[in-house]
Amino acid sequence: MIPMAREQVLAAGTRQRPDGLLDWLPITFGFLVLYIPSFYSLFTGIWMSEEQAHGPIILFLSIWLIWRKRHEMLAAAQPGKGTIAGWLLFVVGLLLYIFGRSQQILAFEIGSFIAIVAGLLCIKLGTPALRVVWFPFFFMLFMVPLPSAVVAALTLPMKMAVSYVSEHILYWAGYPIARSGVILQIGQYQLLVADACAGLQTLLTLEALGLFYLNVVRHTSTFRNVALALMIIPISFTANVMRVMVLTLITYHWGDAAGQGFLHGFAGMVLFVSALVLILGIDSLLQWFVTYRQKKEMR
């Protein structure tokens, strides 16, 4: 057996191993051709609105979650395993894209992005690799806009409930406030509780925030995970109430111009900060309860 020089061994290994970058280059090019126009339309259109402003945040967080799991994903890769499922996802995604793009149905167009990326990943790396990063693809579903009929049907009762609770809390606090439907009258000012302040999309955004937190912290206690996931809905409702109350008080004390100006955006920040504080607070309470129960069982 004739020994080979180190450079020859490396060269032989390079010839036998497919170039990963070149392998993904045509896929990346085709993907960019498809989705650069779509994402340009989203970033200059619906994602500029207050109701759908969470879309790019969900997208970037999902990409970060996949990147965070890249080593586990590559370690679990089994090329060729799950190719049929991958091609099925890819074809379905392509059909959704064609139909959504041609008919201007954003739910299909954005949904096609999720299906095509998942399909390509399954084709190239196998089902086990896709299983490792299942949560980021599930998380991306929160950036898909729901049909307007569904949003309208669910938003009105939510706004009514938020308006009702906000009115009663401020009334108990001694403010001159009254309510007619979703219109709050405080002093000489009237405020309409808009969809962005207490609508379904806000609830879904806060639900996504809570699930993202759960995925990042990864508690070992099943009870703690399930309990916190269930508490996200009342947390979202409470955060919406706090936002409406903050806007109402800003308008009452500083006038309508302040309520509709910079401080209106500040109230939006209050919504997410208060939701995050509530999530952290309840999580700490659940941690105390789990620790207490474990200590009690050990005695």
Side-chain angles (χ1 to χ4, degrees):
M1 183 175 178
I2 301 174
M4 296 176 65
R6 181 174 179 272
E7 291 78 6
Q8 291 176 311
V9 174
L10 291 174
T14 304
R15 285 193 299 269
Q16 293 171 2
R17 184 176 64 248
D19 193 328
L21 180 61
L22 291 177
D23 198 31
W24 282 92
L25 195 58
I27 297 173
T28 305
F29 177 75
F31 194 77
L32 291 176
V33 168
L34 282 178
Y35 284 104
I36 282 179
S38 297
F39 280 106
Y40 177 79
S41 300
L42 288 169
F43 276 105
T44 57
I46 190 171
W47 281 356
M48 295 290 290
S49 66
E50 194 171 2
E51 292 84 358
Q52 296 293 331
H54 63 278
I57 299 172
I58 299 291
L59 176 63
F60 293 135
L61 287 178
S62 300
I63 294 171
W64 178 78
L65 286 171
I66 294 173
W67 179 256
R68 183 169 171 256
K69 285 268 195 178
R70 66 190 185 281
H71 297 302
E72 295 176 48
M73 180 179 66
L74 293 174
Q78 296 181 20
K81 187 174 181 180
T83 306
I84 296 175
W87 278 110
L88 183 62
L89 272 172
F90 179 78
V91 171
V92 169
L94 201 57
L95 292 174
L96 282 174
Y97 175 83
I98 293 170
F99 189 72
R101 186 72 178 168
S102 62
Q103 303 302 313
Q104 297 184 346
I105 303 176
L106 280 175
F108 286 177
E109 193 170 348
I110 300 175
S112 71
F113 172 81
I114 303 171
I116 287 178
V117 174
L120 288 173
L121 193 62
C122 194
I123 293 168
K124 299 296 292 182
L125 300 180
T127 307
L130 180 61
R131 197 177 295 121
V132 171
V133 290
W134 71 269
F135 179 79
F137 288 99
F138 168 76
F139 189 64
M140 276 190 272
L141 292 174
F142 285 95
M143 71 181 184
V144 178
L146 293 174
S148 56
V150 175
V151 174
L154 296 177
T155 294
L156 182 59
M158 290 175 60
K159 290 197 300 182
M160 291 287 288
V162 169
S163 305
Y164 176 84
V165 174
S166 301
E167 177 212 4
H168 279 72
I169 292 175
L170 291 175
Y171 180 77
W172 291 335
Y175 284 93
I177 189 169
R179 180 180 63 89
S180 176
V182 295
I183 298 176
L184 296 175
Q185 174 83 39
I186 184 165
Q188 71 270 33
Y189 300 106
Q190 277 192 344
L191 294 94
L192 173 66
V193 178
D195 294 355
C197 293
L200 180 63
Q201 293 294 351
T202 305
L203 174 63
L204 291 175
T205 304
L206 295 178
E207 183 77 22
L209 176 66
L211 292 176
F212 175 78
Y213 172 80
L214 279 175
N215 184 262
V216 170
V217 296
R218 289 190 166 276
H219 296 312
T220 55
S221 170
T222 304
F223 167 78
R224 189 174 174 184
N225 285 325
V226 173
L228 189 59
L230 292 175
M231 288 300 296
I232 289 173
I233 294 177
I235 287 172
S236 302
F237 180 81
T238 304
N240 273 314
V241 170
M242 293 174 70
R243 180 186 188 183
V244 170
M245 289 173 56
V246 167
L247 276 175
T248 304
L249 292 175
I250 287 173
T251 303
Y252 179 70
H253 288 289
W254 290 291
D256 187 62
Q260 297 300 319
F262 167 78
L263 293 177
H264 186 277
F266 173 76
M269 294 172 59
V270 169
L271 170 74
F272 291 100
V273 171
S274 58
L276 186 59
V277 170
L278 287 169
I279 289 171
L280 292 173
I282 291 178
D283 190 33
S284 300
L285 185 63
L286 289 170
Q287 181 184 12
W288 173 85
F289 178 77
V290 169
T291 305
Y292 173 77
R293 191 175 64 175
Q294 289 173 347
K295 289 180 179 179
K296 191 174 180 180
E297 290 175 352
M298 292 173 63
R299 291 175 184 172

